[in-house]
Amino acid sequence: MSMPLELPTRQLIVQKFGGSSVSDAAGIKRVAQRVVDNQRAGHEVVVVVSAMGDTTDELLDLSSEITDSAPAREMDMLLSAGERISMALLAMAINQLGSKAQSFTGSQAGMITDGIHGKARIIDVDPHRVRTALDKGKIAIVAGFQGMSRESNDITTLGRGGSDTTAVALAAALDADVCEIYTDVDGVYTADPRVVPAAKKIDRISSEEMLELAASGAKILHLRCVEYARRFGVPLHVRSSFSHHEGTWVLPSPEDKITVSEGVALEQPIISGVAHDRSEAKVTVVGVPDTPGKAAEIFQVIADAHSNIDMIVQNVSTHGRGSTDISFTLPIVEGADALDALKSAQDRIGFESIEYNAEIGKLSLIGAGMRSHPGVSATFFKALADAGINIDMISTSEIRISVVTRADLLDDAVRAIHSAFDLDAETQATVYGGTGR
Ligand code: ADP
Ligand code: ASP
Ligand code: MG
């Protein structure tokens, strides 16, 4: 009797395709072929899809033509539709290629969340229907970015960019070998290649550094996806759906530290990259009485409005004596609620006025060992000064320096810092698709 042929190693792979990878029928067919090729190579494949192209933004625009105060539940019903369109079309395209596929909404795939519409958190994943589909030799397609509230059974969404988190949560629940995030660039770069064409691709990055980049606004990965991958030890491979190049591996365990190449002094700061963020606005509370407890009152009001504050600066007021100005940044999408809440507390707290500016941008330099290297700040601020960029706010941590600038100067600032820290590559990065919206 002859020995059976050795089968190729069978892996369970979760593959997530972002909006630009499925922006039209041709894109969906291209993705379908790629998925089918993987299955035919002997793997079990679960696919998570985002809404086609800029569909989510278009749905948001459409709703704002109708109302500026849409009920959060209805907004989630609307936005979750985008991913349903992609999942069904992709399943059709795969069936057309002769393989079997079955699509699932987030709730059918067992994505159970809390009830906070628009930024729901996953609290349980029960992918038994996905597992059954795989056992029947099918490719399972899951709509990203959505789940179902445990309390109300209503449809929820996970926040912008949340399909990455759907993918990693499924990968963890199914004990997948790898979670591949397919997008429109070849991986994670030292800066957004749309802004810095000389950005360098990073081959391997620790989850700590990736967390900091994502938290600072590098939208290549959803922050909660990186947190989830680290917590559950899921290896992430970020790569392009438009090429077959090896992408960036985000290494989940703390032992997988970046390897410092020989000859580089171990105590040099290791700069991982520059992130930028246009999604925040700056609020200044002018003329706050300079007495203990006033900052606490202001931030309690903001917390009660469920707003996430980022940078905070308190300065001596130019508007009079005995009072200060407090500035902070928060997501633009939370701005209106926060301002309403502050206005209704104005008399009680006793401040003079509120200023709001959404035309700001935040730049962050991320790297290990920055605080202990005075040279880093000197180089950083000199580069901005040479580029003629005025700084509005500053914050630092052990591994990050962030500044707020005028929004229209942000791209120049990112390029200046990228060059100043010698991150520029000789070759230009490729951006394959997408509108950058
Ligand atoms: P998808 O639709 O695939 O989820 P996103 O638009 O959410 O894609 O994320 C990919 C985009 O992230 C890239 O096209 C790029 O412009 C941007 N980006 C921002 N920072 C980085 C970075 N450090 N490395 C690579 N891409 C980045
Ligand atoms: N479609 C959603 C968004 O545009 C989710 C995602 O793409 O990850 O934010
Ligand atoms: Mg994304």
Side-chain angles (χ1 to χ4, degrees):
M1 211 174 91
S2 62
M3 293 291 289
L5 279 175
E6 206 183 0
L7 285 171
T9 330
R10 189 172 175 78
Q11 292 198 328
L12 200 170
I13 309 175
V14 175
Q15 308 191 305
K16 177 257 169 178
F17 292 89
S20 53
S21 297
V22 291
S23 63
D24 54 15
I28 290 174
K29 288 184 193 174
R30 190 173 45 82
V31 165
Q33 187 63 58
R34 191 153 187 157
V35 169
V36 165
D37 289 347
N38 269 300
Q39 194 204 32
R40 291 188 181 155
H43 303 303
E44 291 185 303
V45 187
V46 176
V47 181
V48 173
V49 271
S50 292
M52 294 171 69
D54 291 331
T55 299
T56 308
D57 288 300
E58 287 155 12
L59 292 172
L60 281 168
D61 291 348
L62 199 55
S63 72
S64 68
E65 285 177 36
I66 290 171
T67 173
D68 56 10
S69 56
R73 176 187 185 279
E74 304 311 326
M75 189 59 105
D76 276 355
M77 285 299 240
L78 176 70
L79 296 186
S80 62
E83 271 66 13
R84 292 179 70 144
I85 295 172
S86 318
M87 75 178 196
L89 291 173
L90 182 60
M92 291 176 198
I94 291 173
N95 287 313
Q96 183 66 26
L97 292 173
S99 288
K100 283 186 261 164
Q102 190 174 351
S103 66
F104 298 94
T105 63
S107 62
Q108 288 175 331
M111 306 295 301
I112 307 301
T113 70
D114 63 17
I116 314 281
H117 287 290
K119 49 179 174 184
R121 288 190 163 262
I122 297 167
I123 50 183
D124 195 14
V125 184
D126 173 12
H128 68 270
R129 294 189 65 182
V130 171
R131 187 64 261 174
T132 305
L134 293 175
D135 292 343
K136 290 185 175 154
K138 293 179 183 171
I139 293 167
I141 320 281
V142 178
F145 171 61
Q146 54 183 271
M148 186 178 78
S149 159
R150 171 170 277 165
E151 300 102 62
S152 63
N153 287 358
D154 279 332
I155 300 302
T156 53
T157 63
L158 310 181
R160 298 305 307 271
S163 297
D164 298 340
T165 301
T166 304
V168 94
L170 274 172
L174 292 162
D175 199 18
D177 295 283
V178 59
C179 179
E180 297 185 324
I181 306 285
Y182 285 91
T183 183
D184 52 18
V185 290
D186 276 317
V188 180
Y189 284 74
T190 49
D192 185 342
R194 257 175 236 280
V195 174
V196 185
K200 253 189 238 145
K201 199 188 92 197
I202 302 170
D203 294 332
R204 291 152 71 89
I205 188 167
S206 69
S207 55
E208 279 75 16
E209 294 166 286
M210 192 62 236
L211 272 178
E212 204 65 30
L213 279 170
S216 304
K219 69 168 184 155
I220 181 77
L221 283 178
H222 196 223
L223 174 60
R224 275 156 50 203
C225 161
V226 188
E227 287 169 350
Y228 212 106
R230 180 164 67 160
R231 183 165 322 149
F232 291 92
V234 179
L236 288 174
H237 186 190
V238 183
R239 58 195 308 194
S240 169
S241 74
F242 298 81
S243 80
H244 279 83
H245 299 148
E246 179 88 358
T248 300
W249 285 91
V250 183
L251 304 164
S253 90
E255 295 87 67
D256 294 319
K257 283 282 174 219
I258 23 170
T259 42
V260 179
S261 46
E262 247 180 89
V264 175
L266 280 173
E267 293 230 20
Q268 285 288 356
I270 303 157
I271 305 294
S272 357
V274 187
H276 71 277
D277 192 352
R278 291 179 198 283
S279 67
E280 294 190 349
K282 177 180 160 189
V283 176
T284 302
V285 187
V286 179
V288 181
D290 199 4
T291 51
K294 287 299 167 189
E297 283 182 56
I298 288 174
F299 291 118
Q300 189 59 53
V301 167
I302 303 293
D304 292 344
H306 300 292
S307 209
N308 291 307
I309 284 186
D310 183 13
M311 289 162 93
I312 302 175
V313 171
Q314 173 171 330
N315 2 54
V316 178
S317 179
T318 49
H319 292 257
R321 307 191 114 197
S323 66
T324 63
D325 295 348
I326 296 180
S327 296
F328 55 86
T329 61
L330 45 60
I332 291 175
V333 288
E334 294 170 6
D337 286 351
L339 288 186
D340 285 349
L342 274 175
K343 277 177 198 147
S344 41
Q346 180 165 4
D347 290 344
R348 176 168 57 80
I349 302 177
F351 58 83
E352 281 165 30
S353 59
I354 308 170
E355 289 165 8
Y356 181 77
N357 182 5
E359 298 301 312
I360 60 154
K362 187 177 74 172
L363 173 157
S364 305
L365 177 72
I366 318 292
M370 301 226 282
R371 181 170 287 174
S372 46
H373 285 82
V376 172
S377 333
T379 307
F380 184 91
F381 291 111
K382 175 152 192 325
L384 292 179
D386 290 348
I389 289 154
N390 203 39
I391 299 162
D392 223 10
M393 297 171 97
I394 303 172
S395 83
T396 61
S397 81
E398 199 59 49
I399 59 167
R400 182 178 52 77
I401 307 179
S402 300
V403 291
V404 167
T405 69
R406 257 169 45 194
D408 59 338
L409 298 178
L410 184 62
D411 288 357
D412 286 341
V414 172
R415 288 187 282 266
I417 294 296
H418 197 267
S419 302
F421 284 90
D422 291 331
L423 296 172
D424 289 353
E426 313 253 294
T427 51
Q428 292 227 331
T430 310
V431 177
Y432 297 93
T435 58
R437 192 172 171 183

